[in-house]
Amino acid sequence: MDYASMTPTTLRQLMRQGELARPTAGMAKGHVQANLAIVPKDLAYDFLLFAQRNPKPCPVLDVTDPGSPEPKLMAPGADLRYDAPKYRIYKAGVLADEVVSLEKYWRDDLVAFLLGCSFTFETALLAAGVPVRHIEACCNVPMYITNNPCRPAGKFHGNMVVSMRPVPHDKVVKAVQVTSRFPAVHGAPVHIGDPAVIGIRDLGRPDFGDPVEIRDGEVPVFWACGVTPQAVAMTTKPEIMITHAPGHMFLCDARDEDLAAF
Amino acid sequence: MDYASMTPTTLRQLMRQGELARPTAGMAKGHVQANLAIVPKDLAYDFLLFAQRNPKPCPVLDVTDPGSPEPKLMAPGADLRYDAPKYRIYKAGVLADEVVSLEKYWRDDLVAFLLGCSFTFETALLAAGVPVRHIEACCNVPMYITNNPCRPAGKFHGNMVVSMRPVPHDKVVKAVQVTSRFPAVHGAPVHIGDPAVIGIRDLGRPDFGDPVEIRDGEVPVFWACGVTPQAVAMTTKPEIMITHAPGHMFLCDARDEDLAAF
């Protein structure tokens, strides 16, 4: 199947039927893919406020009304209970289940957040001639917990998580320019160069994801990472929290360029 | 007194002492001025979500913790109960009082929102050689209710309000570019040209503010307006809502350029 050229609607339909429980990288090319985080209404204000105060790691694309599974802005008519390929259920901060449908977990007090994902700016980087090492290497992007505290909100506090991409020194400016256009998917880098400045001791040992090679003449460039809000929310051990399974993103109708700031 | 060259801290100190209850246009040049809206905690989620869903009219700069009068991001150490020059108290949607201190109205369940104000991008427009008619004419900017519905959130729904500035046709592109840099203060225009397209019948009769002259060769350019969230919130007739008095903005420590996206 040529998933790259299929529409988000068609692909979500396959997911709804349980026929496409696989990673979404490369699917519905040109369309926005989103992180999913679902929390009970009584945590939703703190979660939204945390995102508002930390827009680089937590760019909010859509928030559902309590109990409604429809992301009206990003995919009107879709149903977040069935239309992502795979979900993870966390109870009191511990992974309790992995499912392809939220049928038995959905509740009338749940609020779903769709958060921007770096797939959008990686497509733009590649289009601008900036190589993306972890895509070349077919592995996950390396992610690190920094010493940079997020601004707290209610129950939520913790340090920013960043992703790292090695960029040839003559492409660093272009990488800043290209990603600046997409504030809704983490935007411009938060740091360029020496990892120690942001509290990272060893680039070879990421906190999440896989290490990647840094070649001569390449500079490590760090972007705020969408793992941040989930990691922070999890430390509060919410009674229930639901996310997508890693790499199994929600496919939006919106196009990458719809998120461009200019 | 040369208010333009004084610091925000010094000016807020004068306001705290009740010695500067006047419009803030031109004060603390280069620093961000903000709209203020204060609602009870039980409305704060809907207000924040409304802003999240409608970032062009409702760019949130800061949200206080419930009961705390300190805007930690925009002016750490300041006290929103005393440090704005003049406040309006609305009860059930009706103007009930105008005061220079919130001493007798502050409550432990109040949440304050600071929202971006077009003063920031007007400074940038002038710096880029784009004239601003209502500043030349020493009057208020004309504002209009459009036929463009905001995305609803909880109790809040209503149409977008826009401000209008006539721009010479050879400066329209520059006006778009300059304001695109400042998404936190309404960003790029929402419409250029024919007012009928967005439901405005007569530019000579604005819904708020003052009419301004449109000269030969000038094009009306429309920006999302910070009056929108207050107007929308007011239609829900909240038990209490507090705002700054028109033109009497809160002075932030942040500089205009801190809000530039690129």
Side-chain angles (χ1 to χ4, degrees), chain B residues 150-185:
Chain B
C150 292
R151 291 155 171 169
K155 295 192 176 74
F156 297 147
H157 55 89
N159 285 3
M160 188 190 292
V161 178
V162 294
S163 61
M164 187 280 291
R165 293 162 188 78
V167 176
H169 65 82
D170 61 342
K171 305 270 193 194
V172 170
V173 168
K174 178 59 79 179
V176 172
Q177 289 172 325
V178 167
T179 56
S180 293
R181 291 187 65 226
F182 294 97
V185 291

PDB file of all heavy atoms in Angstrom, chain B residues 150-185:
ATOM      1  N   CYS B 150     -15.716  33.457  16.034  1.00  0.00           N
ATOM      2  CA  CYS B 150     -14.596  32.827  16.725  1.00  0.00           C
ATOM      3  C   CYS B 150     -14.939  31.361  16.939  1.00  0.00           C
ATOM      4  O   CYS B 150     -16.096  30.967  16.892  1.00  0.00           O
ATOM      5  CB  CYS B 150     -14.365  33.491  18.084  1.00  0.00           C
ATOM      6  SG  CYS B 150     -13.781  35.186  17.975  1.00  0.00           S
ATOM      7  N   ARG B 151     -13.903  30.562  17.190  1.00  0.00           N
ATOM      8  CA  ARG B 151     -14.154  29.175  17.570  1.00  0.00           C
ATOM      9  C   ARG B 151     -14.657  29.182  19.005  1.00  0.00           C
ATOM     10  O   ARG B 151     -13.984  29.724  19.887  1.00  0.00           O
ATOM     11  CB  ARG B 151     -12.862  28.385  17.472  1.00  0.00           C
ATOM     12  CG  ARG B 151     -12.394  28.212  16.030  1.00  0.00           C
ATOM     13  CD  ARG B 151     -10.917  28.005  15.960  1.00  0.00           C
ATOM     14  NE  ARG B 151     -10.486  27.622  14.619  1.00  0.00           N
ATOM     15  CZ  ARG B 151      -9.214  27.580  14.245  1.00  0.00           C
ATOM     16  NH1 ARG B 151      -8.250  27.874  15.099  1.00  0.00           N
ATOM     17  NH2 ARG B 151      -8.894  27.227  13.019  1.00  0.00           N
ATOM     18  N   PRO B 152     -15.822  28.593  19.277  1.00  0.00           N
ATOM     19  CA  PRO B 152     -16.368  28.646  20.635  1.00  0.00           C
ATOM     20  C   PRO B 152     -15.571  27.774  21.606  1.00  0.00           C
ATOM     21  O   PRO B 152     -14.854  26.865  21.195  1.00  0.00           O
ATOM     22  CB  PRO B 152     -17.793  28.114  20.466  1.00  0.00           C
ATOM     23  CG  PRO B 152     -17.761  27.296  19.219  1.00  0.00           C
ATOM     24  CD  PRO B 152     -16.680  27.872  18.337  1.00  0.00           C
ATOM     25  N   ALA B 153     -15.685  28.069  22.886  1.00  0.00           N
ATOM     26  CA  ALA B 153     -15.053  27.256  23.931  1.00  0.00           C
ATOM     27  C   ALA B 153     -15.913  27.358  25.180  1.00  0.00           C
ATOM     28  O   ALA B 153     -16.077  28.443  25.740  1.00  0.00           O
ATOM     29  CB  ALA B 153     -13.640  27.738  24.222  1.00  0.00           C
ATOM     30  N   GLY B 154     -16.477  26.225  25.595  1.00  0.00           N
ATOM     31  CA  GLY B 154     -17.320  26.225  26.786  1.00  0.00           C
ATOM     32  C   GLY B 154     -18.411  27.279  26.684  1.00  0.00           C
ATOM     33  O   GLY B 154     -19.164  27.307  25.708  1.00  0.00           O
ATOM     34  N   LYS B 155     -18.462  28.181  27.680  1.00  0.00           N
ATOM     35  CA  LYS B 155     -19.502  29.214  27.712  1.00  0.00           C
ATOM     36  C   LYS B 155     -19.279  30.333  26.697  1.00  0.00           C
ATOM     37  O   LYS B 155     -20.149  31.168  26.490  1.00  0.00           O
ATOM     38  CB  LYS B 155     -19.527  29.851  29.108  1.00  0.00           C
ATOM     39  CG  LYS B 155     -19.940  28.926  30.238  1.00  0.00           C
ATOM     40  CD  LYS B 155     -20.201  29.762  31.502  1.00  0.00           C
ATOM     41  CE  LYS B 155     -20.716  28.910  32.641  1.00  0.00           C
ATOM     42  NZ  LYS B 155     -19.653  28.076  33.244  1.00  0.00           N
ATOM     43  N   PHE B 156     -18.081  30.391  26.097  1.00  0.00           N
ATOM     44  CA  PHE B 156     -17.720  31.578  25.306  1.00  0.00           C
ATOM     45  C   PHE B 156     -17.898  31.376  23.807  1.00  0.00           C
ATOM     46  O   PHE B 156     -17.364  30.433  23.226  1.00  0.00           O
ATOM     47  CB  PHE B 156     -16.269  31.962  25.574  1.00  0.00           C
ATOM     48  CG  PHE B 156     -15.999  32.365  26.993  1.00  0.00           C
ATOM     49  CD1 PHE B 156     -14.779  32.101  27.590  1.00  0.00           C
ATOM     50  CD2 PHE B 156     -16.969  33.010  27.748  1.00  0.00           C
ATOM     51  CE1 PHE B 156     -14.521  32.470  28.900  1.00  0.00           C
ATOM     52  CE2 PHE B 156     -16.727  33.387  29.063  1.00  0.00           C
ATOM     53  CZ  PHE B 156     -15.499  33.114  29.641  1.00  0.00           C
ATOM     54  N   HIS B 157     -18.641  32.290  23.180  1.00  0.00           N
ATOM     55  CA  HIS B 157     -18.745  32.288  21.725  1.00  0.00           C
ATOM     56  C   HIS B 157     -19.104  33.694  21.264  1.00  0.00           C
ATOM     57  O   HIS B 157     -19.667  34.496  22.027  1.00  0.00           O
ATOM     58  CB  HIS B 157     -19.804  31.286  21.258  1.00  0.00           C
ATOM     59  CG  HIS B 157     -21.134  31.523  21.893  1.00  0.00           C
ATOM     60  ND1 HIS B 157     -22.080  32.354  21.359  1.00  0.00           N
ATOM     61  CD2 HIS B 157     -21.644  31.077  23.059  1.00  0.00           C
ATOM     62  CE1 HIS B 157     -23.136  32.381  22.163  1.00  0.00           C
ATOM     63  NE2 HIS B 157     -22.897  31.630  23.202  1.00  0.00           N
ATOM     64  N   GLY B 158     -18.777  33.997  20.026  1.00  0.00           N
ATOM     65  CA  GLY B 158     -19.080  35.320  19.499  1.00  0.00           C
ATOM     66  C   GLY B 158     -18.210  35.613  18.284  1.00  0.00           C
ATOM     67  O   GLY B 158     -17.338  34.806  17.935  1.00  0.00           O
ATOM     68  N   ASN B 159     -18.446  36.751  17.640  1.00  0.00           N
ATOM     69  CA  ASN B 159     -17.703  37.082  16.423  1.00  0.00           C
ATOM     70  C   ASN B 159     -16.418  37.849  16.734  1.00  0.00           C
ATOM     71  O   ASN B 159     -16.307  38.498  17.767  1.00  0.00           O
ATOM     72  CB  ASN B 159     -18.583  37.903  15.486  1.00  0.00           C
ATOM     73  CG  ASN B 159     -19.634  37.035  14.799  1.00  0.00           C
ATOM     74  OD1 ASN B 159     -19.729  35.834  15.087  1.00  0.00           O
ATOM     75  ND2 ASN B 159     -20.410  37.617  13.922  1.00  0.00           N
ATOM     76  N   MET B 160     -15.461  37.730  15.807  1.00  0.00           N
ATOM     77  CA  MET B 160     -14.194  38.438  15.976  1.00  0.00           C
ATOM     78  C   MET B 160     -14.375  39.941  15.792  1.00  0.00           C
ATOM     79  O   MET B 160     -15.105  40.380  14.904  1.00  0.00           O
ATOM     80  CB  MET B 160     -13.167  37.928  14.957  1.00  0.00           C
ATOM     81  CG  MET B 160     -11.766  38.488  15.204  1.00  0.00           C
ATOM     82  SD  MET B 160     -10.617  38.135  13.849  1.00  0.00           S
ATOM     83  CE  MET B 160     -10.451  36.372  14.004  1.00  0.00           C
ATOM     84  N   VAL B 161     -13.723  40.706  16.663  1.00  0.00           N
ATOM     85  CA  VAL B 161     -13.646  42.152  16.496  1.00  0.00           C
ATOM     86  C   VAL B 161     -12.300  42.462  15.835  1.00  0.00           C
ATOM     87  O   VAL B 161     -11.287  41.825  16.161  1.00  0.00           O
ATOM     88  CB  VAL B 161     -13.753  42.869  17.859  1.00  0.00           C
ATOM     89  CG1 VAL B 161     -13.630  44.391  17.685  1.00  0.00           C
ATOM     90  CG2 VAL B 161     -15.062  42.510  18.556  1.00  0.00           C
ATOM     91  N   VAL B 162     -12.308  43.408  14.894  1.00  0.00           N
ATOM     92  CA  VAL B 162     -11.056  43.794  14.228  1.00  0.00           C
ATOM     93  C   VAL B 162     -10.819  45.289  14.396  1.00  0.00           C
ATOM     94  O   VAL B 162     -11.760  46.068  14.576  1.00  0.00           O
ATOM     95  CB  VAL B 162     -11.089  43.467  12.715  1.00  0.00           C
ATOM     96  CG1 VAL B 162     -11.142  41.965  12.482  1.00  0.00           C
ATOM     97  CG2 VAL B 162     -12.245  44.176  12.017  1.00  0.00           C
ATOM     98  N   SER B 163      -9.553  45.671  14.354  1.00  0.00           N
ATOM     99  CA  SER B 163      -9.203  47.087  14.270  1.00  0.00           C
ATOM    100  C   SER B 163      -8.809  47.361  12.821  1.00  0.00           C
ATOM    101  O   SER B 163      -8.421  46.456  12.089  1.00  0.00           O
ATOM    102  CB  SER B 163      -8.055  47.412  15.222  1.00  0.00           C
ATOM    103  OG  SER B 163      -6.900  46.661  14.878  1.00  0.00           O
ATOM    104  N   MET B 164      -8.953  48.628  12.399  1.00  0.00           N
ATOM    105  CA  MET B 164      -8.653  48.966  11.002  1.00  0.00           C
ATOM    106  C   MET B 164      -7.651  50.120  10.951  1.00  0.00           C
ATOM    107  O   MET B 164      -7.773  51.095  11.700  1.00  0.00           O
ATOM    108  CB  MET B 164      -9.937  49.347  10.255  1.00  0.00           C
ATOM    109  CG  MET B 164      -9.775  49.546   8.751  1.00  0.00           C
ATOM    110  SD  MET B 164      -9.074  51.157   8.234  1.00  0.00           S
ATOM    111  CE  MET B 164     -10.425  52.269   8.667  1.00  0.00           C
ATOM    112  N   ARG B 165      -6.653  49.965  10.088  1.00  0.00           N
ATOM    113  CA  ARG B 165      -5.693  51.052   9.821  1.00  0.00           C
ATOM    114  C   ARG B 165      -5.599  51.230   8.308  1.00  0.00           C
ATOM    115  O   ARG B 165      -5.352  50.254   7.600  1.00  0.00           O
ATOM    116  CB  ARG B 165      -4.313  50.699  10.400  1.00  0.00           C
ATOM    117  CG  ARG B 165      -4.314  50.646  11.935  1.00  0.00           C
ATOM    118  CD  ARG B 165      -3.136  49.906  12.509  1.00  0.00           C
ATOM    119  NE  ARG B 165      -3.291  49.724  13.955  1.00  0.00           N
ATOM    120  CZ  ARG B 165      -4.072  48.798  14.530  1.00  0.00           C
ATOM    121  NH1 ARG B 165      -4.758  47.951  13.783  1.00  0.00           N
ATOM    122  NH2 ARG B 165      -4.182  48.740  15.831  1.00  0.00           N
ATOM    123  N   PRO B 166      -5.815  52.466   7.812  1.00  0.00           N
ATOM    124  CA  PRO B 166      -5.656  52.697   6.364  1.00  0.00           C
ATOM    125  C   PRO B 166      -4.165  52.721   6.031  1.00  0.00           C
ATOM    126  O   PRO B 166      -3.399  53.418   6.692  1.00  0.00           O
ATOM    127  CB  PRO B 166      -6.271  54.085   6.146  1.00  0.00           C
ATOM    128  CG  PRO B 166      -6.819  54.526   7.469  1.00  0.00           C
ATOM    129  CD  PRO B 166      -6.183  53.705   8.534  1.00  0.00           C
ATOM    130  N   VAL B 167      -3.761  51.936   5.009  1.00  0.00           N
ATOM    131  CA  VAL B 167      -2.348  51.825   4.656  1.00  0.00           C
ATOM    132  C   VAL B 167      -2.183  52.207   3.177  1.00  0.00           C
ATOM    133  O   VAL B 167      -2.933  51.711   2.326  1.00  0.00           O
ATOM    134  CB  VAL B 167      -1.843  50.381   4.896  1.00  0.00           C
ATOM    135  CG1 VAL B 167      -0.393  50.221   4.445  1.00  0.00           C
ATOM    136  CG2 VAL B 167      -1.985  50.002   6.375  1.00  0.00           C
ATOM    137  N   PRO B 168      -1.212  53.092   2.845  1.00  0.00           N
ATOM    138  CA  PRO B 168      -0.973  53.410   1.426  1.00  0.00           C
ATOM    139  C   PRO B 168      -0.674  52.124   0.653  1.00  0.00           C
ATOM    140  O   PRO B 168       0.015  51.238   1.172  1.00  0.00           O
ATOM    141  CB  PRO B 168       0.273  54.315   1.473  1.00  0.00           C
ATOM    142  CG  PRO B 168       0.292  54.866   2.871  1.00  0.00           C
ATOM    143  CD  PRO B 168      -0.302  53.805   3.742  1.00  0.00           C
ATOM    144  N   HIS B 169      -1.205  52.014  -0.578  1.00  0.00           N
ATOM    145  CA  HIS B 169      -1.128  50.726  -1.291  1.00  0.00           C
ATOM    146  C   HIS B 169       0.296  50.209  -1.430  1.00  0.00           C
ATOM    147  O   HIS B 169       0.536  49.011  -1.417  1.00  0.00           O
ATOM    148  CB  HIS B 169      -1.834  50.806  -2.653  1.00  0.00           C
ATOM    149  CG  HIS B 169      -1.194  51.733  -3.610  1.00  0.00           C
ATOM    150  ND1 HIS B 169      -0.109  51.393  -4.361  1.00  0.00           N
ATOM    151  CD2 HIS B 169      -1.476  53.024  -3.928  1.00  0.00           C
ATOM    152  CE1 HIS B 169       0.248  52.409  -5.111  1.00  0.00           C
ATOM    153  NE2 HIS B 169      -0.570  53.423  -4.855  1.00  0.00           N
ATOM    154  N   ASP B 170       1.284  51.129  -1.508  1.00  0.00           N
ATOM    155  CA  ASP B 170       2.670  50.659  -1.678  1.00  0.00           C
ATOM    156  C   ASP B 170       3.330  50.274  -0.348  1.00  0.00           C
ATOM    157  O   ASP B 170       4.510  49.918  -0.318  1.00  0.00           O
ATOM    158  CB  ASP B 170       3.503  51.712  -2.411  1.00  0.00           C
ATOM    159  CG  ASP B 170       3.577  53.027  -1.645  1.00  0.00           C
ATOM    160  OD1 ASP B 170       2.728  53.235  -0.745  1.00  0.00           O
ATOM    161  OD2 ASP B 170       4.465  53.834  -1.922  1.00  0.00           O
ATOM    162  N   LYS B 171       2.567  50.334   0.747  1.00  0.00           N
ATOM    163  CA  LYS B 171       3.106  49.935   2.049  1.00  0.00           C
ATOM    164  C   LYS B 171       2.366  48.715   2.615  1.00  0.00           C
ATOM    165  O   LYS B 171       2.641  48.282   3.736  1.00  0.00           O
ATOM    166  CB  LYS B 171       2.955  51.071   3.065  1.00  0.00           C
ATOM    167  CG  LYS B 171       3.564  52.388   2.645  1.00  0.00           C
ATOM    168  CD  LYS B 171       5.006  52.496   3.089  1.00  0.00           C
ATOM    169  CE  LYS B 171       5.487  53.945   2.942  1.00  0.00           C
ATOM    170  NZ  LYS B 171       6.940  54.043   3.038  1.00  0.00           N
ATOM    171  N   VAL B 172       1.390  48.194   1.851  1.00  0.00           N
ATOM    172  CA  VAL B 172       0.566  47.102   2.392  1.00  0.00           C
ATOM    173  C   VAL B 172       1.404  45.848   2.640  1.00  0.00           C
ATOM    174  O   VAL B 172       1.293  45.201   3.683  1.00  0.00           O
ATOM    175  CB  VAL B 172      -0.629  46.797   1.452  1.00  0.00           C
ATOM    176  CG1 VAL B 172      -1.347  45.527   1.878  1.00  0.00           C
ATOM    177  CG2 VAL B 172      -1.604  47.969   1.443  1.00  0.00           C
ATOM    178  N   VAL B 173       2.272  45.506   1.686  1.00  0.00           N
ATOM    179  CA  VAL B 173       3.117  44.319   1.862  1.00  0.00           C
ATOM    180  C   VAL B 173       4.008  44.485   3.092  1.00  0.00           C
ATOM    181  O   VAL B 173       4.137  43.578   3.931  1.00  0.00           O
ATOM    182  CB  VAL B 173       3.960  44.050   0.592  1.00  0.00           C
ATOM    183  CG1 VAL B 173       5.044  43.019   0.872  1.00  0.00           C
ATOM    184  CG2 VAL B 173       3.056  43.553  -0.532  1.00  0.00           C
ATOM    185  N   LYS B 174       4.606  45.660   3.226  1.00  0.00           N
ATOM    186  CA  LYS B 174       5.467  45.929   4.387  1.00  0.00           C
ATOM    187  C   LYS B 174       4.663  45.798   5.697  1.00  0.00           C
ATOM    188  O   LYS B 174       5.155  45.232   6.679  1.00  0.00           O
ATOM    189  CB  LYS B 174       6.077  47.332   4.252  1.00  0.00           C
ATOM    190  CG  LYS B 174       6.950  47.785   5.399  1.00  0.00           C
ATOM    191  CD  LYS B 174       8.153  46.868   5.642  1.00  0.00           C
ATOM    192  CE  LYS B 174       9.283  47.125   4.677  1.00  0.00           C
ATOM    193  NZ  LYS B 174      10.443  46.225   4.970  1.00  0.00           N
ATOM    194  N   ALA B 175       3.426  46.276   5.693  1.00  0.00           N
ATOM    195  CA  ALA B 175       2.594  46.187   6.899  1.00  0.00           C
ATOM    196  C   ALA B 175       2.338  44.720   7.274  1.00  0.00           C
ATOM    197  O   ALA B 175       2.346  44.360   8.456  1.00  0.00           O
ATOM    198  CB  ALA B 175       1.266  46.918   6.693  1.00  0.00           C
ATOM    199  N   VAL B 176       2.128  43.876   6.255  1.00  0.00           N
ATOM    200  CA  VAL B 176       1.940  42.446   6.520  1.00  0.00           C
ATOM    201  C   VAL B 176       3.225  41.846   7.102  1.00  0.00           C
ATOM    202  O   VAL B 176       3.203  41.124   8.100  1.00  0.00           O
ATOM    203  CB  VAL B 176       1.539  41.678   5.238  1.00  0.00           C
ATOM    204  CG1 VAL B 176       1.541  40.167   5.479  1.00  0.00           C
ATOM    205  CG2 VAL B 176       0.168  42.127   4.750  1.00  0.00           C
ATOM    206  N   GLN B 177       4.353  42.169   6.478  1.00  0.00           N
ATOM    207  CA  GLN B 177       5.630  41.610   6.933  1.00  0.00           C
ATOM    208  C   GLN B 177       5.933  42.025   8.371  1.00  0.00           C
ATOM    209  O   GLN B 177       6.299  41.195   9.209  1.00  0.00           O
ATOM    210  CB  GLN B 177       6.761  42.075   6.007  1.00  0.00           C
ATOM    211  CG  GLN B 177       6.693  41.430   4.634  1.00  0.00           C
ATOM    212  CD  GLN B 177       7.693  42.051   3.659  1.00  0.00           C
ATOM    213  OE1 GLN B 177       7.962  43.248   3.712  1.00  0.00           O
ATOM    214  NE2 GLN B 177       8.211  41.232   2.765  1.00  0.00           N
ATOM    215  N   VAL B 178       5.798  43.309   8.652  1.00  0.00           N
ATOM    216  CA  VAL B 178       6.165  43.827   9.981  1.00  0.00           C
ATOM    217  C   VAL B 178       5.308  43.180  11.062  1.00  0.00           C
ATOM    218  O   VAL B 178       5.815  42.724  12.088  1.00  0.00           O
ATOM    219  CB  VAL B 178       6.008  45.367  10.018  1.00  0.00           C
ATOM    220  CG1 VAL B 178       6.066  45.881  11.453  1.00  0.00           C
ATOM    221  CG2 VAL B 178       7.077  46.026   9.160  1.00  0.00           C
ATOM    222  N   THR B 179       3.992  43.120  10.843  1.00  0.00           N
ATOM    223  CA  THR B 179       3.124  42.598  11.902  1.00  0.00           C
ATOM    224  C   THR B 179       3.188  41.071  11.997  1.00  0.00           C
ATOM    225  O   THR B 179       2.933  40.514  13.057  1.00  0.00           O
ATOM    226  CB  THR B 179       1.670  43.087  11.731  1.00  0.00           C
ATOM    227  OG1 THR B 179       1.198  42.727  10.424  1.00  0.00           O
ATOM    228  CG2 THR B 179       1.591  44.591  11.894  1.00  0.00           C
ATOM    229  N   SER B 180       3.578  40.397  10.910  1.00  0.00           N
ATOM    230  CA  SER B 180       3.769  38.931  10.977  1.00  0.00           C
ATOM    231  C   SER B 180       4.815  38.558  12.014  1.00  0.00           C
ATOM    232  O   SER B 180       4.777  37.463  12.574  1.00  0.00           O
ATOM    233  CB  SER B 180       4.211  38.381   9.610  1.00  0.00           C
ATOM    234  OG  SER B 180       3.190  38.507   8.661  1.00  0.00           O
ATOM    235  N   ARG B 181       5.772  39.451  12.251  1.00  0.00           N
ATOM    236  CA  ARG B 181       6.825  39.174  13.226  1.00  0.00           C
ATOM    237  C   ARG B 181       6.296  39.122  14.657  1.00  0.00           C
ATOM    238  O   ARG B 181       7.009  38.682  15.555  1.00  0.00           O
ATOM    239  CB  ARG B 181       7.915  40.262  13.175  1.00  0.00           C
ATOM    240  CG  ARG B 181       8.750  40.265  11.927  1.00  0.00           C
ATOM    241  CD  ARG B 181       9.904  41.253  12.068  1.00  0.00           C
ATOM    242  NE  ARG B 181      10.824  40.850  13.115  1.00  0.00           N
ATOM    243  CZ  ARG B 181      11.324  41.661  14.051  1.00  0.00           C
ATOM    244  NH1 ARG B 181      10.969  42.923  14.094  1.00  0.00           N
ATOM    245  NH2 ARG B 181      12.161  41.193  14.958  1.00  0.00           N
ATOM    246  N   PHE B 182       5.067  39.600  14.885  1.00  0.00           N
ATOM    247  CA  PHE B 182       4.563  39.734  16.251  1.00  0.00           C
ATOM    248  C   PHE B 182       3.252  38.982  16.485  1.00  0.00           C
ATOM    249  O   PHE B 182       2.215  39.589  16.765  1.00  0.00           O
ATOM    250  CB  PHE B 182       4.385  41.236  16.592  1.00  0.00           C
ATOM    251  CG  PHE B 182       5.686  41.984  16.643  1.00  0.00           C
ATOM    252  CD1 PHE B 182       6.136  42.711  15.557  1.00  0.00           C
ATOM    253  CD2 PHE B 182       6.474  41.924  17.786  1.00  0.00           C
ATOM    254  CE1 PHE B 182       7.359  43.385  15.612  1.00  0.00           C
ATOM    255  CE2 PHE B 182       7.687  42.595  17.853  1.00  0.00           C
ATOM    256  CZ  PHE B 182       8.131  43.323  16.759  1.00  0.00           C
ATOM    257  N   PRO B 183       3.297  37.627  16.371  1.00  0.00           N
ATOM    258  CA  PRO B 183       2.058  36.869  16.584  1.00  0.00           C
ATOM    259  C   PRO B 183       1.491  37.044  17.990  1.00  0.00           C
ATOM    260  O   PRO B 183       0.294  36.872  18.202  1.00  0.00           O
ATOM    261  CB  PRO B 183       2.486  35.408  16.341  1.00  0.00           C
ATOM    262  CG  PRO B 183       3.967  35.406  16.433  1.00  0.00           C
ATOM    263  CD  PRO B 183       4.430  36.773  16.017  1.00  0.00           C
ATOM    264  N   ALA B 184       2.333  37.413  18.961  1.00  0.00           N
ATOM    265  CA  ALA B 184       1.858  37.562  20.334  1.00  0.00           C
ATOM    266  C   ALA B 184       1.083  38.863  20.551  1.00  0.00           C
ATOM    267  O   ALA B 184       0.582  39.115  21.650  1.00  0.00           O
ATOM    268  CB  ALA B 184       3.027  37.480  21.317  1.00  0.00           C
ATOM    269  N   VAL B 185       1.021  39.702  19.521  1.00  0.00           N
ATOM    270  CA  VAL B 185       0.202  40.919  19.630  1.00  0.00           C
ATOM    271  C   VAL B 185      -0.682  41.050  18.386  1.00  0.00           C
ATOM    272  O   VAL B 185      -0.751  42.108  17.774  1.00  0.00           O
ATOM    273  CB  VAL B 185       1.069  42.186  19.835  1.00  0.00           C
ATOM    274  CG1 VAL B 185       1.717  42.149  21.199  1.00  0.00           C
ATOM    275  CG2 VAL B 185       2.148  42.314  18.766  1.00  0.00           C
TER     276      VAL B 185
END
